[in-house]
Amino acid sequence: MKVSGDEDWRLMGQDKYLFGASFEFRKYEPPRIDWDHDHCEFCLVKFCADQGEGCFPDGFVTENKKHWVCKDCYEDFRDRFRFKTTDSVHYFEEKAKDK
Amino acid sequence: MIPLPNSVEKVTGVAAGGFTGRIVGGVVDTGGVVVGVVGQTIIKKKPSVPKEKGSGNQAKNVPNGQPSSTPNSGNLPKYSVPSVPNNPANSPGSDWVWRGKPGEPAGGDKGAWFNPKTGETLHPDLGHGGKVGSHWDWRDADGNYWRLLPGGKIEQRGIQ
């Protein structure tokens, strides 16, 4: 079980709107044509549709598609924030292969 | 189209101050010159005209992170927009602290200014390329994202 400490720099009040949130693992899709990227809610890395340099092509997104979290931060904070994961079989299959 | 009073001149394009304006509930205060934003159109009030009771500039005294008196029309912020510093290494205000990756400089792209009192964040993305270009990402007190662009333009994530 991974629980990040209170001193973690990535913690910036996300519990207000992400505690207990449900996530799906998805390829990044911008919410509209002229919105080309989003950031991880915690570490602020980018998710981009064009998969440019430094951009992540996929990650965990809330069911309302408003909030994106990268794989590392998802793993780091899933217990602390009691994240629920739905429809992400693909991610966990890939993760199991990596082990 | 919202009719403009006689005391207001319509300006489309760049508002004074670039990133330095303070935008409150759709109204930008650039230090004496009040500029309003209706959708993506910027309206600028002539400085010589006295303030009218009930005009949009009432909202400029709303503290950061507090709901403004201007109702959220869907693409206007419900909360007062923080003042964006000219230098990203400088704090946007006394309540803001830098939260960034250890070893990375304050004001860089691997961190954000955070207001613990309101839960807001301001992330400088000043090196972003493409059509979007240099901007700040503002997460308001409800966790909604806004893009603050040069010239005082504001875009809400998910609303065109």
Side-chain angles (χ1 to χ4, degrees):
Chain A
M1 174 167 156
K2 240 177 165 178
V3 180
S4 193
D6 287 337
E7 72 284 357
D8 194 305
W9 71 272
R10 296 170 293 177
L11 291 171
M12 291 181 264
Q14 297 93 339
D15 52 324
K16 185 174 176 181
Y17 57 93
L18 283 184
F19 188 84
S22 293
F23 286 85
E24 301 167 354
F25 187 73
R26 286 278 180 270
K27 184 179 177 203
Y28 176 71
E29 288 178 11
R32 62 178 208 235
I33 197 163
D34 60 344
W35 192 273
D36 66 352
H37 70 283
D38 276 294
H39 294 269
C40 172
E41 290 287 336
F42 295 94
C43 71
L44 303 165
V45 296
K46 285 182 185 176
F47 297 96
C48 304
D50 62 5
Q51 298 184 20
E53 190 180 343
C55 282
F56 283 10
D58 50 26
F60 287 89
V61 62
T62 50
E63 287 178 318
N64 61 11
K65 307 289 187 288
K66 277 179 71 175
H67 305 285
W68 286 84
V69 176
C70 74
K71 294 175 194 173
D72 286 347
C73 290
Y74 189 86
E75 291 295 333
D76 289 347
F77 294 112
R78 61 185 296 182
D79 293 324
R80 181 190 182 106
F81 281 75
R82 302 192 186 172
F83 291 152
K84 303 179 191 91
T85 314
T86 60
D87 193 21
S88 299
V89 175
H90 170 70
Y91 169 72
F92 291 107
E93 283 176 351
E94 291 298 313
K95 194 180 162 193
K97 282 181 196 171
D98 291 342
K99 284 186 176 176
Chain B
M1 181 71 183
I2 298 173
L4 301 175
N6 293 335
S7 60
V8 174
E9 63 173 310
K10 181 178 174 184
V11 179
T12 303
V14 178
F19 272 129
T20 60
R22 175 178 170 76
I23 308 166
V24 182
V27 176
V28 182
D29 181 352
T30 56
V33 179
V34 178
V35 180
V37 180
V38 179
Q40 295 185 353
T41 302
I42 298 168
I43 55 173
K44 178 179 174 185
K45 188 176 181 183
K46 291 177 181 175
S48 59
V49 178
K51 292 175 187 174
E52 293 176 17
K53 198 172 182 180
S55 65
N57 57 17
Q58 284 179 321
K60 73 179 181 179
N61 292 324
V62 177
N64 285 350
Q66 300 298 316
S68 74
S69 59
T70 306
N72 189 355
S73 63
N75 59 358
L76 292 178
K78 176 181 168 187
Y79 298 94
S80 59
V81 181
S83 301
V84 176
N86 278 330
N87 181 347
N90 295 338
S91 172
S94 58
D95 292 333
W96 295 77
V97 293
W98 178 256
R99 292 284 180 89
K101 193 172 182 179
E104 297 288 336
D109 63 351
K110 293 180 175 60
W113 290 102
F114 172 53
N115 185 332
K117 290 185 178 174
T118 62
E120 296 166 277
T121 60
L122 257 182
H123 168 66
D125 199 353
L126 307 183
H128 192 81
K131 279 186 181 175
V132 176
S134 179
H135 65 277
W136 287 75
D137 294 297
W138 171 48
R139 189 189 77 199
D140 71 19
D142 290 337
N144 298 312
Y145 280 93
W146 302 79
R147 190 169 280 165
L148 310 183
L149 297 158
K153 190 177 172 187
I154 309 172
E155 290 180 347
Q156 184 177 13
R157 185 190 186 278
I159 292 182
Q160 207 150 12

